[in-house]
Amino acid sequence: MPMAPQLPYPISFLLLSLLLLLPFSVFPAYGSITPGSSLTANPDNSSWPSFSGDFAFGFREVRAGAYLLAIWFHKIPEKTIVWSANGAALAPQGSTVELTEDGRFLLSDPKGQPIWVPTFSGGPVAYAAMLDSGNFVLVSGSGSNSTTTLWQSFDEPTDTILPSQILNRDGRLVARYAETNYSNGRFELLLQKDGNLVLATTNLPVLDSVNAVYWSPETRCSGYQLIFNESTGYIYVISKDGKILSLVSSVAAPSSQFYQRAIVESDGVFRRYVYPKSAGEKPLAWSVLSLIPSDICLSITQSTGSGVCGFNSYCALGSDQRARCECPSGYAFFDPNDRTSGCKPDFVPQNCDEELRKTELFEFVDMANTDWPLNDYEYYQPVTEEWCRGVCLSDCFCAVAIFREGNCWKKRSPLSNGRIDPSVGGKALIKVRKH
Ligand SMILES: *[C@@H]1O[C@H](CO)[C@@H](O)[C@H](O)[C@H]1NC(C)=O
Ligand SMILES: *[C@@H]1O[C@H](CO)[C@@H](O)[C@H](O)[C@H]1NC(C)=O
Ligand SMILES: *[C@@H]1O[C@H](CO)[C@@H](O)[C@H](O)[C@H]1NC(C)=O
Ligand SMILES: *[C@@H]1O[C@H](CO)[C@@H](O)[C@H](O)[C@H]1NC(C)=O
């Protein structure tokens, strides 16, 4: 009876409903993907939807001719992606994802070279299924054998967690590099092996290990799992005996009324979003229910690494609570298409050669409420602003001086942890070449 799924919809459904009542059913669940099935990466975005149609698994064209194998919310126009297999190695057009007749599951390019293969032990895969929870599963077992889940996307999340999904110890959500770049980014939410939940920066671009923790709730090192509760929408850390240790998101929103997801975004903020399932008071769009930390620009001050933004740039929180990386005046982005790439002077910097210091060729641009903490190499107080300007101007090491209430700090390049915020106070004096 492996033909059942090809029968017309109502008949096959009835048939399967009956057959599923049999003990040791030989038939996979309705909507499952049977050996010999495949999808091809092409402009019609072919996919395998879940039974309800809420989610789909398949290809998404994320740039011309380059495809992401992904899972997304299928019923909403945004088709928001919640998981992806090959963010760092996009698949060319004509690539296929296939459950082979002999029960292997793989993504390969048009020449047949594997791009991504899920790792699991056991097999062969008897069927695959896109579940209504948003979990994509590979299942073994047929005949009189009971079925076993060999692999599931819920166990290997990318940047998003969905209701009913659990993050175990050593599990992590890694931000993507940028909104439309699905490579690993610079931030992650990690339930550490020691039982602490942390938001941390990673050591990209060289290594993606943890650099600095910028948020952690009190869990007394006994965190066991991070739970996204399906019925309440709460996100919390529990201990091994099931006690709630820390509520990470405590705004109620039942999954019966809302699509929801929580994601570590490319600006380092962990946001929980909801989208109404039917029209009502709320608009039919994603809205943020909770976010951590509330001001990312002020939350990261790391002794090594560049901070929220790249070196020599600064972080500005927009009215939408999103971090935006900017260059100080006189500086420009290393990569104009990548605002996190850092900034470089757009002028020939001051030379430390005695003959070439030419202090008369340099001046300062003032930026109120701006600072680059932790980069000072000299500090004076109490002094006047004029004195502070003079001492930085005549010092060829000094790229920026910070003046605040009679205090003067000299900053050397590269500048890190940059931020602009009314709570910073004072001003930054950026040394630039006169036009
Ligand atoms: C495929 O997806 C792209 C990007 O998400 C979209 O622009 C395009 O309209 C889709 N094509 C079809 C046939 O749905
Ligand atoms: C049932 O399981 C056993 C042991 O796991 C395996 O050797 C056998 O091939 C399986 N039978 C079928 C029909 O899949
Ligand atoms: C995404 O960003 C990474 C890191 O900068 C870069 O190496 C990669 O080429 C980018 N990917 C795409 C598809 O632009
Ligand atoms: C989700 O919350 C409900 C209501 O508080 C509770 O009964 C249930 O056990 C929770 N589920 C999980 C997986 O913790």
Side-chain angles (χ1 to χ4, degrees):
M1 293 301 298
M3 291 166 57
Q6 273 90 48
L7 289 174
Y9 189 111
I11 303 175
S12 69
F13 183 71
L14 264 177
L15 208 62
L16 272 158
S17 306
L18 283 174
L19 291 167
L20 282 169
L21 297 175
L22 296 174
F24 309 118
S25 168
V26 292
F27 305 100
Y30 179 81
S32 62
I33 295 117
T34 50
S37 305
S38 68
L39 291 173
T40 303
N42 59 35
D44 32 301
N45 306 326
S46 50
S47 67
W48 289 319
S50 70
F51 181 66
S52 66
D54 281 349
F55 290 94
F57 175 94
F59 287 106
R60 292 288 301 277
E61 188 174 14
V62 293
R63 57 189 62 218
Y67 292 80
L68 189 66
L69 182 62
I71 296 170
W72 60 87
F73 283 97
H74 197 47
K75 274 193 184 153
I76 62 173
E78 291 85 350
K79 308 277 185 233
T80 312
I81 289 173
V82 297
W83 178 89
S84 63
N86 59 319
L90 295 177
Q93 185 156 331
S95 298
T96 55
V97 63
E98 184 182 11
L99 175 53
T100 63
E101 293 287 358
D102 61 354
R104 290 172 301 122
F105 191 83
L106 74 167
L107 165 64
S108 42
D109 73 11
K111 293 190 189 108
Q113 292 302 310
I115 297 174
W116 173 78
V117 184
T119 47
F120 52 83
S121 52
V125 178
Y127 66 93
M130 180 68 251
L131 305 182
D132 286 333
S133 57
N135 191 11
F136 187 78
V137 296
L138 301 176
V139 180
S140 76
S142 56
S144 56
N145 288 354
S146 58
T147 60
T148 307
T149 301
L150 295 169
W151 181 90
Q152 50 186 333
S153 60
F154 269 17
D155 282 345
E156 291 182 16
T158 48
D159 55 4
T160 301
I161 188 169
L162 293 171
S164 81
Q165 192 169 355
I166 287 170
L167 206 62
N168 291 304
R169 278 192 179 177
D170 210 24
R172 65 192 70 209
L173 305 178
V174 180
R176 59 184 83 143
Y177 189 81
E179 184 97 16
T180 55
N181 179 332
Y182 295 82
S183 286
N184 279 356
R186 307 182 308 124
F187 308 95
E188 67 180 17
L189 179 75
L190 168 65
L191 183 55
Q192 294 183 154
K193 284 194 188 117
D194 67 8
N196 285 313
L197 181 73
V198 300
L199 274 169
T201 58
T202 62
N203 284 311
L204 273 192
V206 186
L207 295 171
D208 58 11
S209 50
V210 165
N211 180 1
V213 168
Y214 57 94
W215 174 83
S216 184
E218 179 52 64
T219 55
R220 291 175 300 280
C221 295
S222 49
Y224 178 63
Q225 290 178 321
L226 179 74
I227 306 254
F228 194 159
N229 189 299
E230 191 179 7
S231 47
T232 58
Y234 291 171
I235 300 175
Y236 46 83
V237 181
I238 59 163
S239 61
K240 202 159 186 173
D241 56 11
K243 230 171 63 225
I244 295 179
L245 297 174
S246 172
L247 265 177
V248 176
S249 177
S250 56
V251 189
S255 294
S256 52
Q257 289 164 37
F258 297 96
Y259 294 117
Q260 47 187 328
R261 64 192 168 104
I263 173 173
V264 181
E265 292 191 290
S266 52
D267 65 355
V269 179
F270 182 56
R271 294 185 180 86
R272 181 173 150 221
Y273 286 90
V274 291
Y275 193 115
K277 287 190 172 172
S278 55
E281 296 132 55
K282 278 183 175 271
L284 287 177
W286 289 112
S287 55
V288 176
L289 262 199
S290 65
L291 77 172
I292 297 171
S294 58
D295 188 339
I296 184 76
C297 291
L298 299 179
S299 298
I300 301 183
T301 306
Q302 54 191 24
S303 53
T304 60
S306 60
V308 182
C309 295
F311 287 111
N312 291 334
S313 54
Y314 64 92
C315 178
L317 202 66
S319 53
D320 57 358
Q321 302 283 305
R322 263 162 222 284
R324 202 174 155 77
C325 297
E326 308 278 2
C327 289
S329 46
Y331 285 65
F333 287 112
F334 272 98
D335 175 356
N337 299 315
D338 179 1
R339 301 186 75 91
T340 63
S341 62
C343 309
K344 58 180 177 5
D346 229 359
F347 53 89
V348 181
Q350 199 172 22
N351 192 304
C352 281
D353 194 326
E354 194 72 43
E355 303 301 301
L356 297 166
R357 271 188 208 175
K358 302 212 166 86
T359 53
E360 69 281 6
L361 296 183
F362 292 87
E363 62 183 354
F364 290 104
V365 176
D366 296 15
M367 289 184 63
N369 292 312
T370 308
D371 196 6
W372 282 271
L374 301 189
N375 264 351
D376 24 292
Y377 66 96
E378 280 190 319
Y379 168 60
Y380 311 94
Q381 66 86 35
V383 295
T384 63
E385 183 180 331
E386 265 327 292
W387 192 90
C388 189
R389 285 172 184 270
V391 77
C392 178
L393 190 63
S394 60
D395 178 353
C396 60
F397 292 130
C398 185
V400 167
I402 304 292
F403 182 77
R404 192 159 60 231
E405 293 165 359
N407 299 279
C408 175
W409 292 267
K410 280 186 189 172
K411 305 277 178 187
R412 64 161 87 81
S413 187
L415 304 160
S416 56
N417 301 304
R419 76 264 322 254
I420 185 165
D421 189 272
S423 70
V424 168
K427 59 168 77 169
L429 306 165
I430 321 285
K431 191 193 279 179
V432 296
R433 187 174 281 267
K434 286 181 183 165
H435 293 301

